[in-house]
Amino acid sequence: MPSDCAHNLPLLLIRRCSRSAASPSPAGDRRLSFLPVCKRRMSTLAQPRFAPLPTEQIESQTDAVDAGYQFRLVSYNILAQVYVKSTFFPHSSSACLKWKSRSKAILTELKSFDADLMCIQELDEYDTFYKKNMENSGYSSIYIQRSGDKRDGCELVQKEGIHYNDLVEKYVPSDHVNSALENNSSTEEDKNAKTDNSKRGDPNDPRVRLKRDCVGLIAAFKLSDPCDHILIVANTHIYWDPEWIDVKLAQAKYLLSRVSQFEQLISNKYNCKPSVIIAGDFNSTPGDKVYNCLVSANLESTDEAPIKLCSLYAANGGEPEYTNYTPGFTGTLDYIFLSDGSSIKPTSLLCLPRGDSEDVKGGLPNFQHPSDHLPIGADFLVVNS
């Protein structure tokens, strides 16, 4: 998804953060063929299902469970309404693309996650719709341009915005921006005729290439008693263009650097080892250069990663078949990464539909899923504070 619109920004939604281990989380009971989407009401929204991880894995943490602290995090690209046009989604019923129905469906879906923390990408209509409605549901919000005041159950102790345009000022020729890198990264369907990059100037000028207006957000939270554990959450949306993988790599490396610096700041300030979660739409597929950079597996680089990460889903059964599903592109673009040696452990994962699922046939968005992306998420347990 192009990130050139100023309102296409990440958001963090924070709720109670007060799940106790005594109240277990709800248990869950390429290119693919597409069929026409039947016209149904948005009331047929798919219900989220969190599937517990193997019991032996959780039972091995019995002592921690007894004193446990749990929270649920969900990451979701909700598809900015500014990109919702029938010409971009001809496979979708016009009725499910209208803002009146989509806004209600997205709001209902966000509430249905029963999440404590939500990392939202492609959020527009923040002031006019989401902020007030989510506050009415008990959530505070941290937006890249503004922050909420309410805090219930966890304390916001520090936050920073990430502006990838800062790379323009930091650029040095050795950064290899605009180098002839292999194009091995796929991205989602063209929704607005793929913004003409030449309109910003010479696309061969590295400083022009790096100025993509993409952003991120980092926040640190002190979880509620009795654990008092500090959790760092970063939410981002990496540039979309598969032909500009040099820019995507530069953004990914800058993200890791900024999160690492933020982690060190929090560690020094509070004399602790915080856990780190990085979530968002990375517009990169499993195994490509950007993905490998993020999971510290880029063997082509001799640089030591500033922060070591693993992918939540990859480490617990494998990445989903897809998180973005349209006739133009079907693949996994959204991830949740965890820091190495983290004191939080996943106890369940948000399930995603498989390729043959009826609720995705015909492509997204539809009446079951109001975005062209699918949400990902997990329940976590603080096992060592």
Side-chain angles (χ1 to χ4, degrees), residues 6 9-10 143-146 160-170 210-218 235-236 250-251 254-255 258:
L9 305 173
Y143 197 53
I144 189 67
Q145 294 180 323
R146 60 189 300 168
E160 289 183 5
I162 301 175
H163 294 270
Y164 293 110
N165 282 358
D166 291 346
L167 288 168
V168 176
E169 301 303 322
K170 298 176 181 293
L210 287 169
K211 196 170 184 178
R212 298 297 102 195
D213 296 336
C214 301
V215 294
L217 184 63
I218 319 174
N235 179 24
T236 195
Q251 291 183 351
Y254 186 51
L255 170 68
R258 288 291 303 274

Side-chain angles (χ1 to χ4, degrees), residues 275-312:
S275 297
V276 178
I277 296 177
I278 303 178
D281 177 354
F282 294 84
N283 272 318
S284 307
T285 54
D288 74 8
K289 292 178 181 295
V290 175
Y291 179 92
N292 287 345
C293 171
L294 290 165
V295 296
S296 309
N298 187 355
L299 300 180
E300 297 178 12
S301 174
T302 58
D303 298 333
E304 184 176 351
I307 181 170
K308 295 188 180 300
L309 304 171
C310 68
S311 172
L312 169 68

Side-chain angles (χ1 to χ4, degrees), residues 151 157 200 209 217 241 278-279 283 291 319 324 338 375:
R151 295 290 175 266
V157 295
R200 291 171 172 259
R209 293 177 70 83
L217 184 63
D241 196 332
I278 303 178
N283 272 318
Y291 179 92
E319 301 290 6
N324 179 238
L338 308 179

